[in-house]
Amino acid sequence: MAAADADGPRRPWWEPAVLYQIYPRSFQDSDGDGVGDLRGITSRLDYLAWLGIDALWLSPIFRSPMRDFGYDISDYRDVDPVFGTLEDLDELIAQAHARGLRVLLDYVPNHTSSDHPWFVDSRSSRGNPKRDWYVWRDPAPDGGPPNDWRAVFGGGEWSAWELDPRTGQYYLHLFLPEQPDLNWANPDVRREMHDVLRFWFRRGVDGFRIDVINLLSKDPELRDEEPNPAWRPGDRPTDRFLWHRRSDGPQMPAILAGLRAVAEEFGDRLLVGETYMPLERLVAYYGGELPGIHLPFNFQLILLPWDARAIGDWIARYEAALPVGAWPNWVLGNHDQPRVASRVGPAQARVAAMLLLTLRGTPTLFAGDEIGRENVPIPPERVVDVDGRDPERAPMPWSAGPGGGFTTGEPWLPLGDAEGVNVEAQRDDPRSMLTLHRRLLAMRRAEPALAVGSWIPGPGDDAVLSYGREAEGRRLEVALNLGHQPRSVELVPGRWRVALSTHLDRGGEVLEGRADLRADEGVILEPA
């Protein structure tokens, strides 16, 4: 259902919403096997409603051999037993909807598992009807891979091609060899993958986060990658190339339009695309006159240096580059990136939270960031992810004690400091990180200026970032000290009252002319 705008027009539900990413195996275990599951998530829906988020996005829960933790799908129309059953998912969706929460699933269209029946058929012979559902090519003249493309995993050291001795051809895999790439140039593949979306939309799913959407169209000629002229010996091997040819190819507009058309069949369904792209290409994923996806993920708060001027400049560039009618979005953390509290420190993580939840656009909050969760050290004998992403994927600590309230068994990854950082300890603490998030989320809901208002750049420097948000003639000011020393910032003329401080101790203080900020402090100001 669309939400009412401050001025009356209807707008899509996701524009004022806050998305909350759940990594299912790490959120809540219901059966004591140490792995989170769908029933566990259902049991925590009251917490999510209490927190104040609007929609939960579940990382992959489809049937999979789990070589890449669900991003290697062997059946797009079933739930993996480790997480439960289709009926468990139906119940989760029904219970979420009863609480006013929407549910997004993770759609992985670029590749399947090598165990998927489509690929089993495809590799059985060159003449199999599903041969062209994947990307097969003859060896190069020297017998090696067809081109120099490298896999995303392996730090740039792994070829993206695997030789199949039985048929004498290579197949493309931009991730693990067990994750062969689908051929989206084949109309049959597109039709089948569109029907996958329809299957879940009919079960009540409210939208999808689309994994590595920019990889769905490759260079039709599969030419070698372009060398990166800035690369120098000693730089990361993966940076030796520009990676223009394996992604963002000429068929992207048609692919985006096709996905959007399927979503439009079901009304207000949301498509969010994972797109680690330069700004000018990122905004193109909204489509020409907006037939593309609704929200191409904007990861710059993860990727930029924690510098007020750099972030402020990027916000302004992003706002200016958005097509007419496009809605911005922001992401501070996810299952593939180090935790924000580890990247910028626990004190600055509070400032980061205020930044995320006061910028114009739809924010995505990664489960655990609301309690200041940091990366968890993983002993060598407990490592499970070949690409080093275990520390940010460690289970959610709900309480102190064995299992952290996450499981009655042995958690699949170490919990880390569940004694000092957990939901129960912070829930009733008026100065906690969790309380800060809850108050920020409540303020977003109460203030149209924060939910859907315009963004107005303000004064700042290398440490202070400031901006205004305005709707219905009411303006709020946000001032964020991204540094570790006290700073002050000039205010818009008038009298201002501190509505919220990241320190949670200045409510009601009246300011005029300038705002003095303590180290690692952000404030939201309202007219006094």
Side-chain angles (χ1 to χ4, degrees), residues 126-155:
R126 293 196 183 199
N128 187 276
K130 285 193 169 57
R131 184 68 168 186
D132 192 48
W133 281 43
Y134 294 82
V135 183
W136 292 93
R137 290 296 184 274
D138 290 331
D142 64 359
N147 64 25
D148 65 0
W149 293 6
R150 318 303 290 175
V152 174
F153 293 157

Side-chain angles (χ1 to χ4, degrees), residues 11-12 70 100 109 124 162 182 184 209 350 359 398 401 428 456 476:
R11 59 171 65 239
S124 65
E162 184 80 2
L182 284 165
W184 273 72
R209 175 264 196 185
R350 288 177 172 252
L359 285 171
W398 296 96
D428 297 321
I456 306 146
L476 302 179

Side-chain angles (χ1 to χ4, degrees), residues 27-67:
F27 196 65
Q28 179 64 61
D29 172 25
S30 71
D31 58 11
D33 67 356
V35 178
D37 48 47
L38 295 175
R39 291 187 178 184
I41 296 169
T42 301
S43 74
R44 295 294 185 181
L45 290 176
D46 286 341
Y47 165 77
L48 298 180
W50 171 86
L51 180 61
I53 59 101
D54 301 282
L56 48 145
W57 147 38
L58 307 182
S59 291
I61 47 85
F62 304 131
R63 189 174 288 271
S64 165
M66 297 292 168
R67 298 185 185 98

Side-chain angles (χ1 to χ4, degrees), residues 304-313 348 351 355 458-466 479-489 514 517 520-521:
L304 285 169
W306 197 244
D307 174 89
R309 202 178 305 279
I311 293 173
D313 288 349
Q348 277 294 308
V351 180
L355 173 65
D461 53 32
D462 60 332
V464 176
L465 174 64
S466 71
L480 307 169
N481 183 358
L482 274 64
H484 304 303
Q485 300 296 326
R487 294 285 184 123
S488 62
V489 63
R514 300 190 69 80
L517 301 174
D520 309 302
E521 182 182 30

Side-chain angles (χ1 to χ4, degrees), residues 135-138 145-149 161 172 183 185 217-225 244-247 249-251:
V135 183
W136 292 93
R137 290 296 184 274
D138 290 331
N147 64 25
D148 65 0
W149 293 6
W161 295 94
L172 180 67
N183 177 19
S217 178
K218 284 92 169 168
D219 175 25
E221 300 177 31
L222 299 183
R223 293 171 292 176
D224 283 353
E225 281 290 357
H244 289 172
R245 301 234 164 103
R246 69 179 184 181
S247 75
Q251 293 185 335

